[in-house]
């Protein structure tokens, strides 16, 4: 791939989704975008960049962004965060919200739905204890394609074998040939919508718990910091944030404090801004991106 074509895709992906692509990932661009070029009747990625330069079609841009998202997920992924949800967060919030009797949860990069549905199954198991409570699970993702999959809630044998306890499979899924359909009693507990983490979050309302797992790893320090600070703005002061195992707030924002005993769990902190461990990268786009290509794809 020509450097100028690589730079154009890199800039588009950064501006539209925050994804940072390094030159050693150009094979990934080629393998994921070649089918998109085919779909659009374009003979090569070079002709795709020519079309993007001449007329940046929003539908083509959306297809490119969606093709480059990594949707890897599984039921009860990493186990621990779901134990923390059940054994640490829920008891605290059930006490703190006993007058209000409602709890809002946000899965901020929900992929094909396994994460929010895992939370829904935990809550369903506690139905008797939670009688009279209102739980809202809001699940969002940048990709409409993956959201459609999440809403369908139909999973392969391989997907249900990864992390899902057998008793939940038997109780909450129906088998149709090779696939497993999640029952409506769980499906209806989750509300899916499209949301880009780079956008203003105020329309999302406030939450008691935010799961933002395994998505910040794809972003640079600047976007990580901005997203975490926006999440802090949407999280109740006594709320909880869960990040993925390879993610942290340390050195990025002072808005959250890690729980030293529960990896991945964060609460809001009120430290002054000067206590940030290291300054964030202040540049608006990856340094090698020319201002021409980066301004082509600026979101409005
Ligand atoms: C690796 S999956 C993580 C799924 C789930 N949270 C988990 O931990 O299993 C990352 C998801 O983030 C989504 N994503 C990537 N960039 C995004 C953005 N800017 N805004 C919202 N979602 C984004 C992708 O579409 C993908 O489904």
């Amino acid at each position: 791939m020509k450097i100028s074509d690589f730079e154009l895709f890199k800039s588009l992906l950064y501006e539209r989704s925050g994804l940072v692509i390094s030159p050693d990932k150009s094979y990934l661009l080629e393998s994921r975008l070649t089918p998109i070029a085919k779909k659009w009747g374009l003979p090569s990625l070079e002709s795709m960049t020519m079309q993007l330069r001449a007329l940046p079609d929003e539908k083509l841009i959306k297809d490119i962004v969606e093709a480059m998202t990594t949707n890897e997920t599984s039921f009860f992924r990493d186990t621990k965060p779901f134990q923390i949800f059940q054994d640490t967060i829920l008891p605290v919030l059930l006490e703190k919200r006993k007058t209000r009797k409602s709890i809002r949860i946000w899965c901020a990069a929900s992929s094909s739905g396994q994460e929010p549905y895992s939370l829904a199954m935990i809550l369903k198991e506690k139905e008797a204890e939670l009688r009279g409570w209102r739980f809202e699970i809001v699940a969002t993702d940048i990709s409409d394609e993956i959201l459609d999959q999440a809403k369908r809630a139909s999973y392969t044998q391989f997907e249900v074998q990864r992390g899902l306890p057998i008793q939940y499979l038997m109780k909450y899924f129906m088998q149709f040939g090779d696939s497993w359909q999640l029952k409506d009693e769980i499906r209806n507990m989750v509300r899916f919508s499209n949301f880009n983490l780079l956008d203003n979050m105020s329309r999302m309302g406030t939450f008691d718990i935010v799961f933002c797992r395994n998505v910040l790893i794809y972003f640079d320090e600047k976007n990580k910091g901005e997203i975490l600070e926006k999440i802090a703005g949407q999280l109740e002061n006594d709320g909880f944030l869960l990040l993925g195992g390879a993610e942290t707030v340390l050195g990025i924002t002072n808005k959250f404090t890690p729980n030293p005993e529960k990896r991945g769990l964060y609460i809001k902190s009120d430290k002054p801004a000067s206590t940030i461990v290291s300054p964030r990268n202040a540049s608006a786009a990856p340094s090698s991106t020319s201002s021409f290509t980066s301004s082509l794809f600026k979101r409005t």
Side-chain angles (χ1 to χ4, degrees):
M1 183 182 296
K2 286 201 314 215
I3 291 179
S4 57
D5 290 343
F6 172 80
E7 288 298 332
L8 183 124
F9 286 126
K10 175 179 160 178
S11 150
L12 181 157
L13 291 164
Y14 183 79
E15 292 298 336
R16 295 309 183 95
S17 71
L19 178 68
V20 175
I21 286 269
S22 52
D24 61 318
K25 292 274 160 52
S26 63
Y27 73 91
L28 203 63
L29 280 176
E30 304 222 9
S31 64
R32 293 201 186 169
L33 298 188
T34 301
I36 304 297
K38 224 180 215 163
K39 175 181 162 187
W40 280 77
L42 298 163
S44 64
L45 293 189
E46 199 175 338
S47 37
M48 194 190 244
T49 55
M50 277 165 67
Q51 162 141 352
L52 286 166
R53 283 195 183 91
L55 185 76
D57 185 311
E58 281 302 317
K59 286 200 181 113
L60 174 57
I61 292 175
K62 188 172 175 322
D63 277 359
I64 293 171
V65 168
E66 296 209 358
M68 290 308 296
T69 56
T70 298
N71 307 119
E72 167 69 16
T73 189
S74 56
F75 288 103
F76 297 91
R77 181 175 184 177
D78 302 334
T79 318
K80 268 269 155 58
F82 297 91
Q83 280 170 358
I84 293 174
F85 170 72
Q86 178 165 318
D87 303 335
T88 306
I89 300 177
L90 265 186
V92 171
L93 285 180
L94 289 181
E95 179 56 31
K96 287 189 170 177
R97 304 285 185 267
K98 63 183 177 206
T99 330
R100 194 173 91 185
K101 281 195 177 297
S102 75
I103 290 176
R104 287 192 89 220
I105 305 167
W106 182 18
C107 287
S110 57
S111 189
S112 38
Q114 286 90 328
E115 185 178 81
Y117 288 140
S118 298
L119 297 174
M121 283 184 268
I122 291 176
L123 294 174
K124 192 74 185 172
E125 289 290 302
K126 293 181 172 294
E127 199 171 25
E129 187 191 330
L130 300 177
R131 191 143 294 132
W133 282 77
R134 191 178 125 75
F135 278 85
E136 196 183 345
I137 306 175
V138 176
T140 60
D141 200 281
I142 195 175
S143 163
D144 279 334
E145 207 177 313
I146 208 71
L147 284 166
D148 285 346
Q149 223 172 293
K151 285 180 214 165
R152 277 198 300 276
S154 173
Y155 297 96
T156 63
Q157 184 71 37
F158 175 70
E159 286 167 327
V160 296
Q161 270 167 352
R162 292 178 72 201
L164 183 68
I166 184 78
Q167 66 273 25
Y168 285 8
L169 179 66
M170 293 298 130
K171 205 163 163 184
Y172 298 125
F173 289 78
M174 289 171 301
Q175 189 171 17
F176 292 104
D178 288 344
S179 56
W180 292 84
Q181 177 63 54
L182 185 61
K183 289 185 182 169
D184 284 351
E185 59 180 325
I186 302 296
R187 255 173 107 185
N188 294 339
M189 290 172 73
V190 181
R191 190 161 51 82
F192 288 97
S193 63
N194 188 302
F195 185 78
N196 186 341
L197 289 168
L198 301 185
D199 286 346
N200 184 318
M201 291 182 183
S202 52
R203 78 167 162 94
M204 300 302 299
T206 50
F207 293 92
D208 302 291
I209 309 165
V210 176
F211 277 70
C212 184
R213 301 176 57 231
N214 304 303
V215 62
L216 294 181
I217 36 169
Y218 301 106
F219 300 155
D220 66 1
E221 301 275 287
K222 174 185 172 287
N223 279 328
K224 278 181 196 171
E226 285 177 8
I227 290 167
L228 285 167
E229 287 178 17
K230 286 188 290 182
I231 289 176
Q234 303 310 123
L235 192 64
E236 298 276 8
N237 285 337
D238 56 359
F240 297 92
L241 167 69
L242 284 121
L243 298 181
E247 296 160 334
T248 182
V249 303
L250 295 175
I252 295 171
T253 177
N254 64 337
K255 299 272 184 193
F256 291 99
T257 308
N259 180 314
E261 280 139 41
K262 314 260 179 222
R263 197 183 156 85
L265 176 64
Y266 299 82
I267 54 165
K268 273 169 82 164
S269 54
D270 46 15
K271 287 187 212 137
S274 59
T275 57
I276 286 187
V277 183
S278 70
R280 297 205 313 264
N281 173 2
S283 69
S287 54
S288 57
T289 306
S290 77
S291 57
F292 170 70
T293 46
S294 88
S295 65
L296 252 186
F297 304 110
K298 280 255 181 298
R299 290 170 318 125
T300 46

